[in-house]
Each structure stands twice: as C-alpha cells, then as structure tokens.
Amino acid sequence: MEKEENIRIAGIIRESIVDGPGIRFVIFCQGCPHGCPGCHNPESHDFNGGYDCSTDRILEEIDKNPLLKGVTFSGGEPMCKAKEFSYLAEEIKKRGLDLVVFTGYTYEKLIEENDPDRMKLLEYTDLLIDGPYLKDQRDLTLRFRGSRNQRIIDISKTEKKGETVLAEEYM
C-alpha cells in the first residue's frame, strides 16, 4: 500500500482499556458527517479541525509500548479517511497488533457502497463497532460502545460465514 505521510486527527490516547479489548493505542480521526446528538467527541466533527500528524510519528509512538494488544481507530469517522487509515492499519498488522474500528455507518452500508478505500480498511479490521450513537439508546453497561444499537462485529468470522457475525464475547 502506498505510504500516507500525514493523517488529520483529533488526538490520541496512548493507553486505553475502554476502546476495545486489552491495552490499546487509540487514534481519533478528525471529521465526521453523522452529527449524532450527544456524541462523546463533538470536537472531532469539523473536518477542518484537529491537526495533521505524521503517520511515521504515530507508528513510533505505537512501537514504544510493548504492552499494547492493539490499536483502535475512533472518531470522528475513520471511514471518511479510509485511505490514510488503511496505510496505518497495514503497518499495525505487520506489528502483530489487532485492530478495532469504530464507525457510524453500518457494516451492511459499507459493503453496499463498496468504496475501495473503505473495503481495504475493513480487510485489516478485526472488530468493527458499527452504527451511529443514539442518545435514546445510551447504555453505560455496554462494553466498548455507547448505545444499544451499536454492534461489535467479528470481521474475520463475518467474511468466512458470508453473514454478519457478532463478537459475542464482548456483547
């Protein structure tokens, strides 16, 4: 995959245990078209906000922590920067780390659209947490997600089975 020099992000968290299984490095994408009322990260919505960060710099930071289980792409909306995040995803997988991707789109919508960059990002994704945040379905007891409509999809099992397979261990 062609190297992407920079990516526009809202920020990072070097160690998180709430954005996927294990200790995770979290990258928050800058820019989101969904505008979900009650969003946890409204400052990440403006596509002109945030800052450009070197992908090499991000990977250097990831490499500093041998305790990481994986990396999480959160939002904003990572699917709006799928090309840039695909480059990072490929490099993350080379390091033996797993990848969780949050998206306000449903898995089915992503498949239907069949955008090449988004499909490439899905290829590297282990767990996809899909669906918009719905304030009226907010549930603080859920693992790794904010509202009951959001699903945690095991992408590898989904591809093998040919239908959406939820990661039941996290539901």
Side-chain angles (χ1 to χ4, degrees):
M1 169 156 280
E2 185 179 323
K3 181 178 179 176
E4 292 296 323
E5 297 292 330
N6 291 300
I7 189 165
R8 193 144 195 90
I9 63 173
I12 61 169
I13 296 176
R14 286 175 175 77
E15 289 186 356
S16 170
I17 58 169
V18 298
D19 296 294
I23 300 172
R24 311 198 65 76
F25 189 96
V26 185
I27 305 164
F28 293 92
C29 177
Q30 183 66 44
C32 182
H34 305 299
C36 301
C39 175
H40 182 68
N41 297 320
E43 66 283 352
S44 68
H45 292 182
D46 181 0
F47 282 90
N48 295 313
Y51 58 97
D52 287 329
C53 188
S54 157
T55 53
D56 284 342
R57 170 69 195 228
I58 292 170
L59 292 167
E60 286 171 13
E61 291 300 311
I62 290 168
D63 291 341
K64 287 179 182 179
N65 189 343
L67 301 177
L68 292 176
K69 180 180 186 313
V71 175
T72 297
F73 296 162
S74 193
E77 176 55 72
M79 290 298 169
C80 288
K81 305 276 191 212
K83 183 178 180 183
E84 295 89 339
F85 276 103
S86 290
Y87 168 74
L88 275 176
E90 181 180 39
E91 292 300 313
I92 287 161
K93 298 305 280 186
K94 286 177 184 176
R95 288 158 167 77
L97 299 170
D98 67 36
L99 180 63
V100 173
V101 176
F102 282 81
T103 181
Y105 297 104
T106 63
Y107 174 73
E108 292 78 11
K109 179 73 171 169
L110 293 170
I111 297 301
E112 177 187 308
E113 288 178 346
N114 199 28
D115 175 271
D117 292 328
R118 291 177 177 182
M119 298 308 291
K120 179 59 77 178
L121 181 52
L122 282 175
E123 284 178 30
Y124 295 116
T125 301
D126 295 293
L127 296 176
L128 182 74
I129 300 176
D130 79 335
Y133 170 75
L134 299 177
K135 190 175 182 177
D136 65 336
Q137 293 191 37
R138 182 177 187 225
D139 186 341
L140 296 177
T141 67
L142 299 172
R143 292 182 76 187
F144 314 136
R145 53 207 162 107
S147 59
R148 289 186 300 282
N149 65 298
Q150 294 172 314
R151 304 175 296 176
I152 303 175
I153 300 171
D154 184 314
I155 295 296
S156 177
K157 289 180 182 175
T158 293
E159 289 174 352
K160 286 178 189 161
K161 194 168 183 181
E163 63 183 54
T164 304
V165 178
L166 300 181
E168 294 294 337
E169 64 271 31
Y170 305 117
M171 300 298 288

